[in-house]
Amino acid sequence: QLRLVESGGGLVQPGGSLRLSCAASGSTLDTYAITWFRQAPGREREAVYCITGRGPSTTYDDYVKGRFTISRDAAKSTVYLHMNSLKPEDTGIYYCAGTISGHVCYEWPSKYDYWGQGTQVTVSS
């Protein structure tokens, strides 16, 4: 089964950048669609960005459009979330999640079978 581990979070000032990593093991990454979710304090978990096993990606949150990008390095079995121009509103725990339906991206957490434990992102001056 798939195991996912997030890393790369931390404290950053507004306008700064971070790159989050989602390292996969235990299965072939290209058979899964991987979505980055985030959960801000006091809010529900929301989908941010998804990439399919074949490569096409989907943004679910217009708030991050133009600031965040997603990429996949198959050789390293890792999916990245590149975050630029960070805002305090981006603060939260970021999770990566995988669904065995690797050709389809979903924005609903219930569609995902495997989850990492999250990495904290704090944007503050």
Side-chain angles (χ1 to χ4, degrees), residues 63-106:
Y63 182 74
V64 308
K65 188 175 183 179
R67 298 189 298 119
F68 292 9
T69 59
I70 193 169
S71 65
R72 182 174 69 103
D73 187 333
K76 296 181 179 180
S77 296
T78 300
V79 172
Y80 301 98
L81 183 67
H82 308 264
M83 305 187 295
N84 301 309
S85 302
L86 284 162
K87 304 176 181 180
E89 294 85 348
D90 296 316
T91 293
I93 303 174
Y94 284 70
Y95 302 88
C96 63
T99 176
I100 192 64
S101 300
H103 63 294
V104 178
C105 282
Y106 301 100

Side-chain angles (χ1 to χ4, degrees), residues 108-119:
W108 313 114
S110 63
K111 294 291 186 179
Y112 290 84
D113 306 296
Y114 305 100
W115 293 80
Q117 296 188 22
T119 185

